[in-house]
Amino acid sequence: SSSVLLALCAALLLAAPAASRRGQGARVAASRLRGGVDAASFQQQYWIPLESSPEVFNDFARRVGVGAGYAFTDVLGLDAELLAMLPQPCVAVLLLFPVSRELARSESARVRALGGWDVRRRSPRVFFMKQYVGNACGTVAAMHALVNNRDVLSVGSGPLREMLPAEPAEGGEAVGECEEGDLDECADELGERLSASSRLMAASESSAQLGGTVPQRGVDADYHYICFVRSSDDGCLYELDGTKPFPINHGPVGADLLTGAARVIKEHFVAHMPGGHFNVMALVGDPDGTLAAATD
């Protein structure tokens, strides 16, 4: 239900210290998601959610300016035999899970146990943004997957570049990199940038029309997306959820992002909702364009 979704968003976002600017930003984010006191300044802050479909996400990637070579595809299961069927390389994993009171409680406890804004365990190269738009979790997850793989993807002149700083001069900082001391402010700014981007909203909502069932704007979705990526900087697996106050570092995974993400999904999500419906997609190499051209 919408009340459970809002409780999850608020619980996770409010886990940061309230006295800090970070905590204030979290409260503002939760307020916007539930139509809070400042909602009047944000017009149409509920987007049409993206259906968990490779066709929808591949269309979104194309619309924002990502070229050929990689594509989203379904992960048929989390067992080793099924994971081995996926094309390689796998550079991101997206999880769609049902929102429930049980999971909201476990996720809130997990964030509290991490001890707040532990930026010492986060690579500055990890792109992370807050979700300030209702039902945009799929869009945020897609952005996390695409921007964190900007070094291997072909990124053209589309609206995806609105989320990136200007190209650095030779020898300068990497595209999308935040200063280590400003990681929280950077996440806030990127979330604001998405909420203000008419081009990204148009791309997301156009892709949403490809889904089998297109919900009406403003109707809370009962499912939520997150993304898993591996940082080339430290080799660690990062869980990226725009309703959480920070990325979660799950430690080194070598080159096997897919197995590491499957382990975290089973341990922290499936275990708490054994009868729940989960959907997993992966962003994988697609050199001949077969996956990108597929339709559901």
Side-chain angles (χ1 to χ4, degrees):
S1 67
S2 61
S3 61
V4 177
L5 176 61
L6 296 174
L8 174 63
C9 294
L12 296 176
L13 285 164
L14 293 173
S20 67
R21 182 186 183 280
R22 304 177 180 99
Q24 182 181 12
R27 288 193 298 274
V28 171
S31 175
R32 287 175 186 162
L33 284 170
R34 63 175 180 263
V37 293
D38 64 344
S41 63
F42 288 82
Q43 300 300 316
Q44 296 183 329
Q45 283 304 291
Y46 273 86
W47 293 3
I48 299 173
L50 295 179
E51 185 174 286
S52 185
S53 154
E55 180 184 4
V56 170
F57 277 76
N58 286 328
D59 184 78
F60 175 75
R62 179 184 61 80
R63 289 179 185 276
V64 298
V66 176
Y70 283 80
F72 291 96
T73 190
D74 282 318
V75 178
L76 300 180
L78 299 177
D79 294 334
E81 301 79 20
L82 294 173
L83 296 179
M85 296 172 60
L86 257 71
Q88 293 294 326
C90 172
V91 296
V93 173
L94 271 59
L95 169 67
L96 179 72
F97 60 90
V99 175
S100 71
R101 296 188 187 278
E102 294 79 11
L103 190 56
R105 284 194 292 267
S106 68
E107 286 295 278
S108 179
R110 184 158 67 105
V111 170
R112 288 197 303 270
L114 292 171
W117 289 80
D118 187 5
V119 297
R120 293 170 299 175
R121 299 188 67 242
R122 174 185 171 187
S123 165
R125 283 283 293 165
V126 174
F127 172 93
F128 175 67
M129 63 184 296
K130 297 289 186 62
Q131 181 187 336
Y132 286 169
V133 180
N135 288 346
C137 56
T139 309
V140 171
M143 297 297 290
H144 280 146
L146 298 173
V147 179
N148 276 298
N149 288 290
R150 55 193 177 271
D151 292 338
V152 298
L153 299 177
S154 173
V155 180
S157 58
L160 182 66
R161 288 201 172 273
E162 293 181 19
M163 304 304 296
L164 302 176
E167 293 282 354
E170 186 175 354
E173 290 184 352
V175 173
E177 185 170 300
C178 298
E179 293 289 343
E180 187 166 351
D182 299 326
L183 295 177
D184 55 324
E185 288 86 354
C186 187
D188 289 337
E189 178 187 344
L190 292 167
E192 295 280 8
R193 198 181 300 174
L194 177 69
S195 70
S197 173
S198 59
R199 297 177 70 203
L200 285 168
M201 177 182 177
S204 180
E205 299 213 328
S206 294
S207 297
Q209 302 298 324
L210 294 176
T213 302
V214 180
Q216 295 179 348
R217 188 193 316 280
V219 177
D220 285 298
D222 290 330
Y223 288 80
H224 185 62
Y225 286 96
I226 62 174
C227 177
F228 295 90
V229 299
R230 175 190 174 276
S231 171
S232 59
D233 185 39
D234 58 13
C236 290
L237 173 70
Y238 285 88
E239 177 185 334
L240 306 174
D241 179 348
T243 67
K244 286 187 173 72
F246 44 77
I248 296 178
N249 184 340
H250 289 284
V253 290
D256 197 356
L257 159 68
L258 187 59
T259 300
R263 172 182 54 80
V264 173
I265 291 169
K266 289 188 285 187
E267 178 180 350
H268 292 291
F269 296 91
V270 178
H272 293 280
M273 292 190 65
H277 175 73
F278 297 84
N279 195 74
V280 182
M281 291 186 292
L283 180 61
V284 300
D286 183 33
D288 60 1
T290 301
L291 295 174
T295 58
D296 295 337

